[in-house]
Amino acid sequence: MNKDAQMKAAINQKLIETGERERLKELLRAKLIECGWRDQLKAHCKDVINEKGVEHVTVDDLVAEITPKGRVLVPDSVKKELLQRIRAFLAQHASL
């Protein structure tokens, strides 16, 4: 395992141990619902299903189709807030 992968694993472990990972996930979930991201993605899913026909779409196909759009639709403000929270966490736990 290279140094970056080790660091990522250590950070992830610390996030899990402290419960911060769950808090960040909840914050992300709430922010995405608040900004309408979830509704936009739901509508896109319906469009894809209607376009291809419900019989011809698998869950894997749907995930492959909506994932890129889902990532693009996340507002920059949400990404920035999450990044700030992660940086603050890392500053508090600098011993990693």
Side-chain angles (χ1 to χ4, degrees), residues 1-3 7 14 20 23 27-29 32 34 45 47 50-52 54 58 61 70 73 75 80-81 84 96:
M1 191 184 291
N2 68 25
K3 202 148 180 88
M7 180 62 74
K14 194 61 135 174
E20 187 65 15
R23 286 188 289 278
L27 173 69
L28 178 60
R29 193 173 289 122
L32 291 177
E34 181 183 300
C45 285
D47 292 344
N50 288 335
E51 188 179 294
K52 293 186 177 192
V54 73
T58 66
D61 292 340
L73 288 175
K80 285 177 185 172
E81 183 175 351
Q84 286 173 341
L96 292 174

Side-chain angles (χ1 to χ4, degrees), residues 79-89:
K79 292 177 189 176
K80 285 177 185 172
E81 183 175 351
L82 211 56
L83 188 57
Q84 286 173 341
R85 295 278 298 256
I86 293 168
R87 284 183 175 147
F89 174 83

Side-chain angles (χ1 to χ4, degrees), residues 22-59:
E22 282 304 312
R23 286 188 289 278
L24 289 170
K25 282 170 52 176
E26 279 305 313
L27 173 69
L28 178 60
R29 193 173 289 122
K31 291 288 183 183
L32 291 177
I33 291 169
E34 181 183 300
C35 73
W37 177 89
R38 187 177 184 192
D39 294 333
Q40 288 177 302
L41 222 52
K42 193 180 204 179
H44 184 57
C45 285
K46 287 179 181 179
D47 292 344
V48 169
I49 291 169
N50 288 335
E51 188 179 294
K52 293 186 177 192
V54 73
E55 310 83 26
H56 305 299
V57 178
T58 66
V59 173

Side-chain angles (χ1 to χ4, degrees), residues 32 37 41 63-64 66-76 79:
L32 291 177
W37 177 89
L41 222 52
V63 169
I66 67 167
T67 298
K69 183 163 185 155
R71 288 187 177 140
V72 168
L73 288 175
V74 175
D76 286 342
K79 292 177 189 176

